[in-house]
Every structure is written in C-alpha cells, then in structure tokens.
Amino acid sequence: VLLDVASWGTPVLLVALSAGRLLARALVGRQHPAGIRSVAAPAHGIGVPAWDHIAWHDGVENWTVEKIRRWYDAAFTEFAEAAGRPPRAFCAPAWKTCDRALEILEDYHLDYATDCRGLAPFFPIVGGKTLTTLQLPATTPTLDEIIGREDVDQSDLNARLLAALSPGGFNCHTLHTELEGQHYPELFLDLLARMKSAGYGFITLADWTAELKKNPAVIPAKSLERREVAGRSGWLSVESGPSLRG
C-alpha cells in the first residue's frame, strides 16, 4: 500500500506498490493498524495504489462516472481508517487511467498522483482543460518488465535500470513489494548502493511536489495517451511526447 518510500536528491524517486485490494484482500490494515501508521511517518510517503487492482486494470476506461467514484470512495475511506488520515496521493493501478478517472480525481484535492509513465512532472489536460492534480510519472522500467527479456543482460539487471536514469532530470522508479521485497531484496539494495555511488540522492514525492508547486507556472500541461511498453502486457497511460527512457 505504500505509494512512495523515500525518493530523490540528485534525482531518484522510489515508489513501492503492493498489488490487489488496498491493504490486501483481507484488509490487513484493520488487523494491523500500528504497522500501517508506522510507515506513514515524515520520512516516508504513503498513498492509495488500488482498491481492486484487477477490476481497474481490466476495464476502467469502460466504467461509468458513478462506478469510478464508488471505487475511489471505497479506497480512500479504507485508507483513512487504516492510516489515521486522508490520503494525499494516488497511483492508478498498472498506470492505466482515463479522462473520466482523471476528472473525478480532481474532487479529492490530492497533492499529486502517479497515474502514468513519462519523463517529468506535468498537469494533465482533459478535453482541452488543464487539471490541477499534479502528475509525477514513473520514468523507468520496473524489474518485472526486464526479467527474462532477451534484449536485457540478465546477469546485471540493475545496469539496465541505472541506464534509464537521467542525471540532471526527474527520476521516479517503481518497485513492487511482492517482487523486490519478497524475492529480490539483495538486487534492490545493490541498486540503491549503485545509485548513491553515482551521485543520486533521495527525497519523498511529497517533498518534491511541495518544491515544484512553489513555482507552478513552470510546470507544463500535457495530455495522456495510450501506449504499449516493452515487458508489460496491454496499454499504459503515458505522458504525450517523446519516447520513454529505458
């Protein structure tokens, strides 16, 4: 359920996601509230990644306004009960969203969202109107997207992830608790060490958002488009413009 677990300096934002329903199918947050609240500390960021990940992934673009709103309400209510405060951030399951979902998200007055892939922060444009929920797109491939690919050196997966970083730009890397957390923790620790050796540092998404919003006039407005990404099935929501890194 964590949306961001430490983030950028000489730019790297790390986003940790857990799949399935918010706080897992058994609503573990209700059973272990102390654990959830302990990670909602100032040094971390916490937000909503899903209520029913599979249902959203399989067809949010076909949902009605009412269904999307019910989904948001359920997710945000459960989050508030578990974390002890309302969410300030959202990440669309599997980076799939649609115009209706983006418009309805405005009603929750979040600080930021990570609903798409892209290269840099922007305000989304829907129907010719610029929305106010800042998008901090994920900028790098995820580990599950490069494992097993013939065009990626499987003996050094982190080299591919490091190559996707922009030394002078915005970087937001996503990890999954069920992959890096459960099966590849050493690989993740190696990635962090190599990032630090390369001069990268970390800051929370919330802190970076606060810095950006000090001068909102310089944040561009862009539309989102659907695009396929190597290593992942189906389309993702992607910031319009140039090719993704990695």
Side-chain angles (χ1 to χ4, degrees):
V1 302
L2 269 55
L3 188 83
D4 79 270
V5 199
S7 310
W8 114 338
T10 308
V12 180
L13 298 148
L14 303 175
V15 179
L17 303 176
S18 68
R21 296 177 187 271
L22 175 67
L23 311 179
R25 293 185 182 274
L27 297 178
V28 176
R30 296 185 186 181
Q31 302 171 24
H32 304 283
I36 297 297
R37 297 186 186 193
S38 69
V39 297
H44 300 89
I46 183 168
V48 177
W51 172 248
D52 186 329
H53 186 286
I54 294 174
W56 178 289
H57 176 275
D58 288 350
V60 65
E61 68 276 15
N62 299 315
W63 288 6
T64 64
V65 168
E66 292 75 18
K67 185 172 182 177
I68 293 171
R69 191 176 298 280
R70 286 197 303 270
W71 192 98
Y72 279 143
D73 285 344
F76 292 178
T77 297
E78 190 64 40
F79 175 96
E81 291 181 4
R85 61 176 174 81
R88 301 304 311 155
F90 174 70
C91 179
W95 302 282
K96 295 183 74 168
T97 190
C98 62
D99 288 353
R100 284 189 296 277
L102 291 169
E103 290 179 310
I104 297 168
L105 196 63
E106 292 282 278
D107 295 339
Y108 297 89
H109 307 290
L110 302 179
D111 294 332
Y112 63 90
T114 300
D115 292 335
C116 64
R117 297 293 185 88
L119 299 179
F122 67 96
F123 289 113
I125 299 173
V126 173
K129 176 184 176 182
T130 299
L131 305 183
T132 61
T133 304
L134 181 67
Q135 288 289 331
L136 299 180
T139 62
T140 59
T142 57
L143 183 60
D144 59 314
E145 292 170 359
I146 62 174
I147 289 177
R149 280 175 47 186
E150 294 183 356
D151 62 331
V152 177
D153 180 2
Q154 298 297 301
S155 68
D156 190 2
L157 294 169
N158 282 338
R160 183 60 169 258
L161 299 178
L162 290 164
L165 298 176
S166 173
F170 174 81
N171 298 284
C172 180
H173 177 61
T174 304
L175 54 139
H176 292 83
T177 55
E178 67 271 25
L179 192 60
E180 287 91 339
Q182 295 181 8
H183 300 291
Y184 297 97
E186 295 84 4
L187 197 64
F188 176 54
L189 292 175
D190 174 67
L191 178 63
L192 289 180
R194 290 165 72 174
M195 284 178 174
K196 291 175 69 176
S197 295
Y200 291 98
F202 309 93
I203 190 175
T204 66
L205 291 168
D207 286 346
W208 184 236
T209 296
E211 285 297 315
L212 286 171
K213 289 187 175 180
K214 289 179 180 179
N215 191 10
V218 303
I219 302 173
K222 295 189 176 184
S223 58
L224 277 71
E225 59 189 30
R226 297 176 186 177
R227 197 183 304 175
E228 292 187 355
V229 172
R232 190 162 293 280
S233 89
W235 59 268
L236 304 185
S237 297
V238 178
E239 167 194 356
S240 62
S243 301
L244 299 176
R245 299 198 298 264

